[in-house]
Amino acid sequence: MDRVPILKLGDILIVSIQIDLQDQSVLALQEDLADKVVATGARGVIIDITAVEIVDSFIGRMLATIAAISRMLDAETVVVGMRPAVAITLVELGLSLGGVRTALNLEKGVALLKHIEGPHSATAAP
């Protein structure tokens, strides 16, 4: 089973989904991410779905679940890199992804998390 890498940038964790997610890899990602949020004290999580071309209700629920887990652990989640077709499909499936913020790209996602956390965020530190 392939595991999704989780990178750390200041107090932000970056998850770049580059593989087709199956049930087991999603469960592993949820556990790995929750452990990493607690271990690092991360205040934000960015999920980069630039490589995701097709979504279904499973992927939509996965994103919402990861965001809910992160919020429970005091970290905000931003999904970045969503393609127009993916956004259209999620809306057509009735998945509004409540509680999940979005940004067009990684740079805008980091800026959004900095804005949410305020000027004293560790992501703004050198």
Side-chain angles (χ1 to χ4, degrees):
M1 171 184 63
D2 291 328
R3 287 185 112 72
V4 176
I6 301 171
L7 308 173
K8 185 177 180 304
L9 176 67
D11 61 356
I12 296 174
L13 297 178
I14 300 171
V15 178
S16 183
I17 299 175
Q18 302 290 323
I19 60 171
D20 287 332
L21 294 174
Q22 306 301 323
D23 290 356
Q24 284 303 108
S25 55
V26 168
L27 292 174
L29 173 59
Q30 290 173 353
E31 288 182 27
D32 292 348
L33 187 56
D35 289 343
K36 195 95 164 181
V37 167
V38 171
T40 64
R43 304 287 296 171
V45 173
I46 294 178
I47 302 174
D48 184 355
I49 62 169
T50 303
V52 176
E53 294 183 22
I54 300 172
V55 295
D56 56 14
S57 59
F58 173 72
I59 297 287
R61 285 192 312 272
M62 178 269 306
L63 294 171
T65 299
I66 286 176
I69 291 168
S70 297
R71 264 195 317 280
M72 294 292 286
L73 299 173
D74 197 27
E76 291 294 326
T77 300
V78 177
V79 174
V80 303
M82 188 177 302
R83 297 169 187 236
V86 170
I88 290 167
T89 302
L90 288 172
V91 170
E92 287 174 348
L93 291 172
L95 298 170
S96 63
L97 301 183
V100 178
R101 297 174 191 265
T102 59
L104 289 177
N105 56 42
L106 184 59
E107 184 179 1
K108 289 184 178 193
V110 170
L112 177 60
L113 285 173
K114 286 182 182 180
H115 177 72
I116 292 168
E117 295 173 4
H120 301 295
S121 166
T123 55

